[in-house]
Amino acid sequence: GNDKKKFKGDRSPCSPSRVLHLRQIPSDVTEAEVISLGLPFGKVTNLLMLKGRSQAFLEMASEEAAVTMVNYYTPATPHLRSQPVYIQYSNHRELKTDNLPNQARAQAALQAVNAVQSGSLAITSALAAEGGLLPGQGSVLRIIVENLFYPVTLEVLYQIFSKFGSVLKIITFTKNNQFQALLQYADPMNAYYAKMALDGQSIYTACCTLRIDFSKLISLKVKYNNDKSRDFTRLDLPSGDGQPPLEPSIAAAFGTQNIIFPSYAGAGGFAPAMSFAQGAVTTSAASGQMTIPGVAGVPGNSVLLVSNLNPEAITPHGLFILFGVYGDVHRVKIMFKKKENALVQMADATQAQLAISHLNGQRLYGRVLRATLSKHQTVQLPREGQEDQGLTKDYSNSPLHRFKKPGSKNFQNIFPPSATLHLSNIPPSVTVDDLKNLFASTGSTVKAFRFFQKDCKMALIQLGSVEEAVHALIELHNHDLGENHHLRVSFSKSTI
C-alpha cells in the first residue's frame, strides 16, 4: 500500500543514478530477462532481484546509460512476459550485494551476458539452466515485419540487430505479401537476446512491428551483396542485379557497432509500441523516408527543447552546426533568462526525432545534454527593438544545410556522435600535419589520421573521445582551408 503512495504520478523521486528500481516484475521472470531490459543501453554491472516484492534493482556501468534507459522507457513502458514493468532511478548510488543470499544466480546470469557482450562464445551453463537457451535454438532468426507503413531496408535491420551482437548475414524477401528477413548472428546467445528484446517491438510509432522466431536453418548461404542480401564476412561477393558492389569503406564500416538505442523522452502522444528500434533506425530509415516521393516527414512537432547546456560555452551557431548533422536547422533560440535551455527548430518532425535519438544524453562542454520535443510549434523571432543579445538566430536560408538536395549522399551518412570524424572537401595543398595541428588547436588529442587512398580530398581523424569530436565538429565544420575550400566534418561509423 505504501508503495502506491510513494510512486504517485510518473515523476522520478530522485536525481539520476546508475542504479534503477524496477517495479511490478512478474513472479516467474528470469534474471536474464531483467538484464535484457538494460542491455541495449550499455553494460549491466549488477542485479538484485526481490521476487517476493515483485521488484528488482539493476545497476548500469554508467549514469549516462541509466539516464538514456529511463528516458527511453518513460514514454514506452517495457513489458516482461506481457506485463508492464515500471522503471525509475533508485536512491542507491551503487548495489552492494556481495554478502546477500541467493545472489549466485544473478551473478551467473551477469557473467554470461558479459561474456557474450565482450564477444566470448562462452554460453554459461547457468544461463541455459536458467531457461535461457532451449535445445534447437540456433543463431539464425526469422523476422517478419507487420504493418509495413514505411520501407524497412537491410541497413535498418542491421542497425537494430547489431546492437545485440555480431551480425554475419542478412537475406530479405517478400513472402505471402509480407516483408521478411533471415538474419544470422555469430553466436546463438546473441540471437536469443535479440529475440527476447525485440520480438513485438515496432520500428516506428505504431507500425513496422517485428515478429521474431528462431529459423530451422543452421546457416545462411548468401550469393550476392546488394540491397536484398548481404554477407558481412565476405566483401568480395558480386552484387548480382547489375548493382555496383559496395565500396570497401562502406562495407568495412558495417563491422563497427556504435549505434546506441535512443532515448525518447517527451515524445508525447506516441503509441506504447514505440520500440527499441525507433531511433536507432531513423538513420537509414528516416533518410529513406525523407527521400521517398509521396512520404512527407512524419507529421508532428519539429521544435526541440535542449536543456542542461553549458551557458559559458554554448552559442546559437554551435547548436546550429551540431543539430545540423541530423537535419536542417531553421531557427535556434537560447533562453534569455535561463541560458542552460534552448529551442532548436528542425525542418520536419522526422529530423527532430533523429536529432533526439542521437544527441540526447551526449556530453557537450562538460555536461550531459538533454533533448526532447518542445511544447512550442515554432521558434518566435524577437520583435523590433526587443532585447535579445543575439540569442535567437534564423538559419532557414543558410548555405550550410546538409539535407537541401533530395536523395543526396548525406542522407545515407547519418551516424551517432563518435570519436572518429569524416573530413571532406580538403584542398590538395593541405597536409596531414596541417589537419592534425588544426584539430589540436581546438584542444583535441589526435589519436590517428588517414587520407582515403583514392583521393586526398577526404580523410578520417580519430580524436581522444566522443566529446572532443563533438567540440571539434562544432568548431571546424565549414572552416576555411584556403583555395576556396571549406572543410566539411561529420561523424563516421568507421574506426581507423
Side-chain angles (χ1 to χ4, degrees):
N2 288 343
D3 279 359
K4 285 275 187 302
K5 286 190 199 107
K6 239 189 300 189
F7 299 122
K8 236 181 175 146
D10 273 340
R11 61 178 189 275
S12 291
C14 44
S15 58
S17 158
R18 64 192 184 96
V19 180
L20 300 171
H21 180 201
L22 284 62
R23 295 179 287 118
Q24 294 190 22
I25 286 184
S27 54
D28 54 351
V29 79
T30 65
E31 277 80 356
E33 285 171 292
V34 175
I35 293 168
S36 77
L37 289 177
L39 278 186
F41 305 95
K43 189 172 175 183
V44 178
T45 46
N46 208 344
L47 170 70
L48 175 61
M49 301 279 276
L50 304 172
K51 283 195 177 170
R53 291 199 268 167
S54 308
Q55 297 181 20
F57 288 93
L58 195 68
E59 179 187 272
M60 301 298 287
S62 72
E63 189 178 298
E64 279 170 60
V67 168
T68 308
M69 183 171 162
V70 169
N71 283 350
Y72 180 76
Y73 285 134
T74 303
T77 308
H79 286 66
L80 287 176
R81 309 217 167 188
S82 350
Q83 196 170 312
V85 175
Y86 298 96
I87 299 180
Q88 60 184 37
Y89 302 117
S90 161
N91 293 317
H92 301 288
R93 293 285 157 230
E94 60 177 316
L95 283 182
K96 295 198 172 64
T97 56
D98 302 347
N99 42 17
L100 292 176
N102 308 330
Q103 259 309 89
R105 280 168 51 178
Q107 292 308 318
L110 278 167
Q111 277 168 355
V113 172
N114 290 332
V116 170
Q117 279 204 319
S118 58
S120 143
L121 299 185
I123 296 173
T124 324
S125 54
L127 200 65
E130 189 51 62
L133 280 176
L134 303 168
Q137 289 183 356
S139 51
V140 178
L141 294 176
R142 186 175 70 123
I143 301 152
I144 296 174
V145 184
E146 293 177 348
N147 193 5
L148 191 72
F149 190 68
Y150 296 118
V152 171
T153 62
L154 187 144
E155 279 81 7
V156 167
L157 293 172
Y158 180 86
Q159 280 195 295
I160 300 169
F161 283 85
S162 63
K163 189 61 204 164
F164 294 87
S166 181
V167 174
L168 302 184
K169 301 169 190 175
I170 303 179
I171 299 171
T172 63
F173 53 96
T174 302
K175 185 178 173 185
N176 307 334
N177 280 339
Q178 281 186 312
F179 178 76
Q180 303 194 18
L182 292 166
L183 181 143
Q184 182 178 343
Y185 277 106
D187 174 16
M189 196 51 118
N190 302 139
Y192 168 71
Y193 279 125
K195 178 184 184 309
M196 216 158 60
L198 296 174
D199 186 26
Q201 300 279 8
S202 296
I203 297 177
Y204 299 108
T205 311
C207 67
C208 302
T209 305
L210 298 168
R211 299 280 170 229
I212 303 171
D213 54 31
F214 288 95
S215 164
K216 296 189 176 68
L217 296 169
I218 310 296
S219 175
L220 298 179
K221 290 189 175 59
V222 175
K223 290 186 191 155
Y224 303 115
N225 277 345
N226 55 34
D227 60 358
K228 300 279 186 290
S229 63
R230 204 155 304 165
D231 182 337
F232 297 101
T233 62
R234 299 233 358 235
L235 306 181
D236 55 329
L237 290 178
S239 62
D241 314 335
Q243 293 178 331
L246 283 179
E247 286 181 32
S249 62
I250 297 175
F254 268 113
T256 62
Q257 293 169 28
N258 55 3
I259 291 126
I260 54 165
F261 281 103
S263 40
Y264 252 73
F270 279 115
M274 265 204 33
S275 66
F276 270 107
Q278 183 108 14
V281 134
T282 29
T283 9
S284 322
S287 56
Q289 184 181 315
M290 287 189 272
T291 51
I292 289 164
V295 181
V298 180
N301 196 352
S302 59
V303 179
L304 303 174
L305 170 64
V306 184
S307 53
N308 201 33
L309 295 166
N310 181 339
E312 306 297 312
I314 201 63
T315 61
H317 178 77
L319 289 171
F320 166 68
I321 295 292
L322 178 58
F323 280 78
V325 173
Y326 300 107
D328 291 340
V329 175
H330 285 189
R331 290 179 179 177
V332 176
K333 181 186 197 79
I334 292 177
M335 302 300 193
F336 186 68
K337 293 212 166 87
K338 191 160 194 266
K339 295 190 171 61
E340 289 85 31
N341 293 349
L343 295 174
V344 175
Q345 184 175 338
M346 307 295 288
D348 64 38
T350 307
Q351 296 182 6
Q353 291 294 2
L354 201 51
I356 289 176
S357 71
H358 287 309
L359 294 176
N360 185 43
Q362 177 55 54
R363 287 189 75 81
L364 177 65
Y365 302 123
R367 294 195 180 186
V368 178
L369 175 149
R370 296 275 155 261
T372 62
L373 287 175
S374 162
K375 300 192 296 284
H376 299 281
Q377 294 298 313
T378 68
V379 170
Q380 296 293 327
L381 293 174
R383 292 189 300 279
E384 282 289 311
Q386 194 180 356
E387 192 189 357
D388 180 65
Q389 297 177 353
L391 295 176
T392 309
K393 293 268 194 250
D394 184 81
Y395 294 102
S396 40
N397 297 318
S398 168
L400 294 186
H401 287 167
R402 297 175 188 240
F403 303 103
K404 283 199 301 279
K405 295 192 191 85
S408 85
K409 273 218 176 117
N410 292 351
F411 283 110
Q412 287 122 49
N413 294 323
I414 299 175
F415 303 115
S418 58
T420 306
L421 295 171
H422 180 278
L423 313 180
S424 58
N425 205 26
I426 302 166
S429 60
V430 168
T431 65
V432 174
D433 286 343
D434 293 336
L435 287 163
K436 282 185 174 175
N437 292 338
L438 177 64
F439 278 81
S441 73
T442 68
S444 302
T445 321
V446 178
K447 290 274 183 75
F449 182 94
R450 76 174 167 82
F451 274 115
F452 281 59
Q453 285 101 346
K454 285 204 296 288
D455 66 41
C456 284
K457 293 196 202 88
M458 294 202 286
L460 291 177
I461 187 163
Q462 189 180 339
L463 304 180
S465 67
V466 177
E467 189 178 4
E468 277 187 19
V470 171
H471 298 169
L473 178 135
I474 290 173
E475 295 265 320
L476 296 176
H477 180 64
N478 201 43
H479 179 82
D480 189 348
L481 291 172
E483 300 175 47
N484 213 0
H485 282 66
H486 285 76
L487 182 65
R488 297 189 64 79
V489 185
S490 50
F491 297 114
S492 171
K493 63 175 173 183
S494 309
T495 46
I496 302 177

